[in-house]
Amino acid sequence: METSTDTGTETLSDHLEDAYEVVVVGGGAAGLNGALMLARSRRTVVVLDAGEPRNAPADGVHGLLGHDGIKPAELLATGRGEVRRYGGHVVRAAVDAVHRDGDGSGAGFVVALADGRTVRARRILVATGLVDDLPDLPGLRERWGHDVVHCPYCHGWEVRDQAIGVLATGPMSVHQALLFRQLSDDVVYFTDDRDLAPGQAGQLAAVGVQVKEGRVTGLEAGGLRLADGALVAREAVVVAPRMRVRADFLAPLGLRPVEHPSGAGDHLPTDQAGQTPVPGVYAAGNVTDPSAQVGAAAAAGAWAGARINAELVMAAATVTS
Ligand SMILES: Cc1cc2nc3c(=O)[nH]c(=O)nc-3n(C[C@H](O)[C@H](O)[C@H](O)COP(=O)(O)OP(=O)(O)OC[C@H]3O[C@@H](n4cnc5c(N)ncnc54)[C@H](O)[C@@H]3O)c2cc1C
């Protein structure tokens, strides 16, 4: 029997039934909150989770009411315990593919795991998050989530009043510089040989962000190295990764990510209920909304879980003549 406690101490099990009403793919904030709603609605539900949440490198989760600063792993361990408390299963497993169920059992989908097992489901909740594709710059990757950051609401307070460098990496970079200026008087925008759009130089100047032209060749302990050899001293560096969703396993259903309107990466579009264009397949969290922080991802997962439950209730209540 699977057991767990709220303190993050878990007894792990990879027990899997042959079929569930709902299979949740991904056990971050979105997937676990979706499963919590479903388990509390007495649905049979399993969360299949590869165990690589996006914020794993971070020291703490910030801006989350009631949990500000909690370690990412501790929050998720607590969430797994809450799902299990209501009879939901949480299994460490990677999903390779989701197919339509062709055996006529009415179960809906067959989920194929990387370890060779399969499990059937009537509904799927995709909560697989995204991968941050970082700029390929020496010295950057190892500092990601510590003093190389992307989000003013996640770690802006932690770098307040520091000498901050914003590296131009994409369409969100000037916006980031403006937001981080709220947290420090000393913000330098590094163009990395990218052109500013019309009006952006004026915006940066208006709030006192300096602009440094030239290609950046690497990050060093003391700052950013430019192609001309100069080292510009900076304590923290802001980048905008390209956000790439983890959704290849949905290709057999014909479900593929599309570019997000922000230009920051791709996403799986859904309607307001979290329903994708494939009936019975829902999505929540960063896989559909790259800007969702932990609270928003959890809320979207909870909402999708509730919508799935309501859809199954209504399906059972449908009178066929
Ligand atoms: C460095 C950093 C720091 C951050 N700090 C904060 C912060 O302070 N506050 C805040 O609110 N937000 C923060 N965020 C944002 C936060 O990470 C996201 O809001 C949150 O992770 C989104 O939750 P999710 O459930 O959608 O995805 P995730 O948390 O990424 O969870 C997705 C899960 O799905 C699993 N998965 C993926 N593919 C498969 C598959 N095929 N089969 C099975 N499982 C799979 C993954 O392994 C992962 O466990 C930060 C992000 C980063 C990058």
Side-chain angles (χ1 to χ4, degrees):
M1 164 146 182
E2 289 177 303
T3 55
S4 67
T5 72
D6 284 351
T7 62
T9 308
E10 291 182 279
T11 301
L12 295 174
S13 160
D14 67 353
H15 174 77
L16 198 59
E17 304 288 340
D18 292 337
Y20 293 83
E21 289 175 293
V22 186
V23 167
V24 179
V25 189
L32 289 172
N33 219 150
L36 183 59
M37 295 298 265
L38 288 157
R40 283 177 46 79
S41 302
R42 311 187 80 177
R43 296 291 175 192
T44 59
V45 58
V46 64
V47 179
L48 303 173
D49 182 38
E52 293 176 354
R54 181 184 173 207
N55 57 348
D59 297 326
V61 178
H62 292 109
L64 184 65
L65 190 66
H67 297 285
D68 185 62
I70 190 172
K71 293 197 175 314
E74 184 185 345
L75 181 71
L76 297 183
T78 302
R80 290 191 291 269
E82 289 170 349
V83 170
R84 288 176 173 135
R85 189 190 301 158
Y86 294 101
H89 292 174
V90 185
V91 174
R92 176 61 55 85
V95 170
D96 257 1
V98 180
H99 300 269
R100 288 183 201 285
D101 190 351
D103 75 350
S105 67
F109 303 94
V110 178
V111 180
L113 277 54
D115 63 15
R117 291 183 290 174
T118 58
V119 56
R120 293 194 144 76
R122 293 179 65 193
R123 299 291 182 270
I124 303 288
L125 175 55
V126 179
T128 43
L130 58 80
V131 174
D132 293 288
D133 276 340
L134 297 170
D136 189 15
L137 207 58
L140 188 145
R141 184 168 299 277
E142 46 274 38
R143 290 163 58 183
W144 172 238
H146 303 289
D147 55 359
V148 174
V149 300
H150 72 301
C151 161
Y153 305 106
C154 304
H155 9 231
W157 175 265
E158 284 62 42
V159 300
R160 70 193 181 283
D161 294 330
Q162 292 187 10
I164 296 173
V166 179
L167 178 65
T169 51
M172 299 306 290
S173 297
V174 167
H175 184 62
Q176 284 180 307
L178 298 175
L179 291 178
F180 273 91
R181 172 65 184 82
Q182 170 65 16
L183 297 151
S184 171
D185 291 343
D186 183 2
V187 177
V188 176
Y189 182 83
F190 292 81
T191 66
D192 198 26
D193 279 352
R194 290 168 185 260
D195 292 333
L196 288 165
Q200 288 185 325
Q203 288 179 320
L204 293 170
V207 297
V209 173
Q210 300 170 55
V211 175
K212 191 81 190 164
E213 306 275 353
R215 192 165 61 81
V216 176
T217 56
L219 264 59
E220 298 177 17
L224 288 87
R225 181 74 66 184
L226 298 178
D228 66 6
L231 182 70
V232 183
R234 296 287 90 186
E235 295 170 279
V237 179
V238 176
V239 298
R242 182 164 170 81
M243 301 171 184
R244 185 170 41 83
V245 299
R246 302 186 265 210
D248 291 351
F249 62 95
L250 297 168
L253 298 175
L255 203 49
R256 289 188 176 78
V258 299
E259 190 69 16
H260 190 266
S262 67
D266 58 8
H267 76 139
L268 279 182
T270 66
D271 68 12
Q272 280 203 324
Q275 166 78 61
T276 71
V278 174
V281 179
Y282 291 70
N286 274 170
V287 73
T288 180
D289 177 5
S291 71
Q293 292 189 260
V294 169
W303 179 239
R307 298 308 304 166
I308 292 170
N309 177 57
E311 193 210 322
L312 291 171
V313 166
M314 294 314 292
T318 301
V319 180
T320 50
S321 54

